[in-house]
Amino acid sequence: MRSSRRSGVDPFIVMDVLEDARRAEAAGRRIIHMEIGQPATPAPSGARAAVTEAMAGDAMGYTVALGLPALRQRIARLYGDWYNVDLDPGRVIVTSGSSAAFLLAFTALFDTGDRVGIGAPGYPSYRQILRALDLRPVMLETAAENRLQPVPGDLPADLAGLMIASPANPSGTMLDRAAMAALIGACAAQGTAFISDEIYHGIEYDKKAVTALEISDEVYVINSFSKYFSMTGWRGGWMVVPPDHVRIIERLAQNMFICAPHVSQIAALAAMDCEPELQANMDVYRENRRLMLEGLPEAGFTRIAPPDGGFYVYADVSHLTQDSRALAAEILEQAGVAVAPGLDFDPSRGAGTLRFSYATATGDIREGLARLKAFMQARFG
């Protein structure tokens, strides 16, 4: 049967690494997972309890396309609590994870063939979703001196949109208020739509991440319950859009998704009031980050981006290899540690980079670092 040209997207390499690790585990090996960006913790206990209670007496039917009103109001309150932003709940749209929000945003903002800028390194699904929608991703090669984030001088004049992430995946670097404002201003000046991926907000270390909504209402902001709220498999997310775009997104959401899963919305609402448990997760990430920043250089991974937020360390290994996929396979086979090749995140330069996730248990981080050190000493001396 025929297939569309638009369907020819690249695989998500980290998922192939995950499958290789699963096969190794099925064969009886113990694998340390540093490849996947997934919290090792479950959804907060309060979220799970709320679902148990609701399932006893609720049919869990459709919700309205924009999401449960109580959840939209609670998300709006978060912006006041975290950023001192007074957000109208009517601008909040609940989605089936951030992935659905990307689909809705790209469909609402862009026409076939439009060019959309993405910082490289960056989350690979941005460009693959754009390609599947017959849009043209434009990779903006970011510089280390700019903390692997785009700057206004990187932007071509003909971009219909710019997609940024702060904290970023894979680097963990963040845009400060001045850098964020400069990008928003540059986009506004040339009629470029600005989309801010903020799914790692809440997972910050030395300073709070800046939301684009602190600077402008004429932006799209996308977030998720997957990372800080530890609910990856529940597929809950949200987006905040300008007031005159709410109905546009609502019409698209009605037809594309009907609504986000009702059960996930109930869980998300309860999760937002589980702050002590969520902060306990953050204590784990802080310790894991400390161990990684000490242990990776000791193992020989000395060229690393400063991880301001999220739970990744992005390492330049171009002095060791120009085939990060082969090196990652070698590390998995010989050390039993699964890591992500940089090719997912930067098609041009990713052959010389690796991403390490530290979202797992602290004991696994310690063991993984010891294995990596032994491997690197044996392999490179």
Side-chain angles (χ1 to χ4, degrees):
M1 184 176 289
R2 70 191 302 272
S3 62
S4 72
R5 174 178 52 83
R6 293 180 294 105
S7 67
V9 300
D10 298 330
F12 197 169
I13 296 172
V14 71
M15 301 308 294
D16 292 339
V17 175
L18 181 62
E19 175 59 18
D20 291 341
R22 185 202 63 80
R23 289 195 191 100
E25 288 172 326
R29 296 188 64 195
R30 172 164 153 70
I31 302 300
I32 303 297
H33 290 276
M34 292 185 176
E35 82 282 30
I36 196 74
Q38 173 170 275
T41 49
S45 56
R48 288 175 278 140
V51 168
T52 299
E53 181 179 351
M55 289 183 70
D58 194 320
M60 297 293 174
Y62 296 134
T63 72
V64 293
L66 294 177
L68 292 172
L71 179 56
R72 298 171 70 202
Q73 291 165 7
R74 182 64 183 86
I75 291 169
R77 180 155 65 89
L78 177 143
Y79 283 87
D81 294 342
W82 283 12
Y83 315 102
N84 198 30
V85 169
D86 184 10
L87 179 63
D88 176 5
R91 294 174 56 195
V92 178
I93 295 101
V94 180
T95 61
S96 298
S98 61
S99 298
F102 297 140
L103 280 167
L104 290 167
F106 296 161
T107 305
L109 291 169
F110 308 126
D111 289 313
T112 299
D114 276 350
R115 290 161 51 85
V116 180
I118 304 166
Y123 180 55
S125 291
Y126 299 150
R127 68 179 188 272
Q128 307 304 347
I129 294 171
L130 287 167
R131 286 172 177 161
L133 294 175
D134 221 359
L135 301 168
R136 296 175 63 191
V138 178
M139 305 308 295
L140 309 175
E141 291 195 358
T142 61
E145 56 267 29
N146 296 324
R147 302 177 64 78
L148 298 181
Q149 291 281 0
V151 296
D154 295 332
L155 310 184
D158 60 348
L159 290 183
L162 174 67
M163 178 92 226
I164 66 97
S166 173
N169 176 12
S171 67
T173 63
M174 297 195 308
L175 292 163
D176 63 20
R177 187 183 179 91
M180 178 81 77
L183 284 170
I184 291 174
C187 287
Q190 60 189 46
T192 299
F194 187 89
I195 308 170
S196 180
D197 177 355
E198 301 181 358
I199 70 169
Y200 291 98
H201 277 221
I203 307 177
E204 309 111 348
Y205 302 100
D206 298 323
K207 57 185 176 180
K208 184 68 185 165
V210 176
T211 176
L213 296 170
E214 295 178 50
I215 297 161
S216 174
D217 288 331
E218 294 302 308
V219 295
Y220 271 45
V221 165
I222 293 172
N223 209 319
S224 167
F225 292 97
S226 290
K227 309 301 183 178
Y228 177 71
F229 295 98
S230 195
M231 293 176 58
T232 51
W234 293 81
R235 308 314 304 139
W238 75 86
M239 59 197 303
V240 181
V241 302
D244 58 343
H245 278 238
V246 173
R247 182 57 178 164
I248 297 171
I249 295 292
E250 183 178 30
R251 293 195 306 262
L252 289 167
Q254 287 170 339
N255 286 285
M256 286 184 171
F257 303 104
I258 301 180
C259 64
H262 191 162
V263 66
S264 299
Q265 294 188 60
I266 289 171
L269 179 58
M272 298 187 79
D273 291 325
C274 294
E275 192 66 13
E277 190 171 345
L278 297 171
Q279 283 302 307
N281 294 344
M282 280 301 303
D283 290 341
V284 174
Y285 299 147
R286 289 186 189 98
E287 175 62 8
N288 289 356
R289 175 177 179 263
R290 184 190 69 79
L291 290 169
M292 294 289 273
L293 292 179
E294 289 180 1
L296 285 175
E298 289 177 359
F301 301 102
T302 55
R303 305 177 183 180
I304 57 180
D308 304 317
F311 35 58
Y312 307 114
V313 176
Y314 195 57
D316 179 351
V317 293
S318 59
H319 58 301
L320 303 175
T321 184
Q322 279 302 311
D323 190 346
S324 60
R325 193 165 190 176
L327 180 58
E330 196 174 347
I331 292 171
L332 177 61
E333 173 62 29
Q334 297 187 23
V337 180
V339 302
L343 288 168
D344 261 338
F345 312 105
D346 191 337
S348 296
R349 300 172 295 177
T353 58
L354 294 173
R355 188 194 72 177
F356 301 85
S357 170
Y358 53 89
T360 189
T362 300
D364 284 353
I365 295 296
R366 287 195 176 96
E367 182 176 345
L369 288 169
R371 293 185 185 191
L372 287 170
K373 185 174 183 179
F375 167 83
M376 292 290 285
Q377 288 176 343
R379 176 67 171 78
F380 296 103

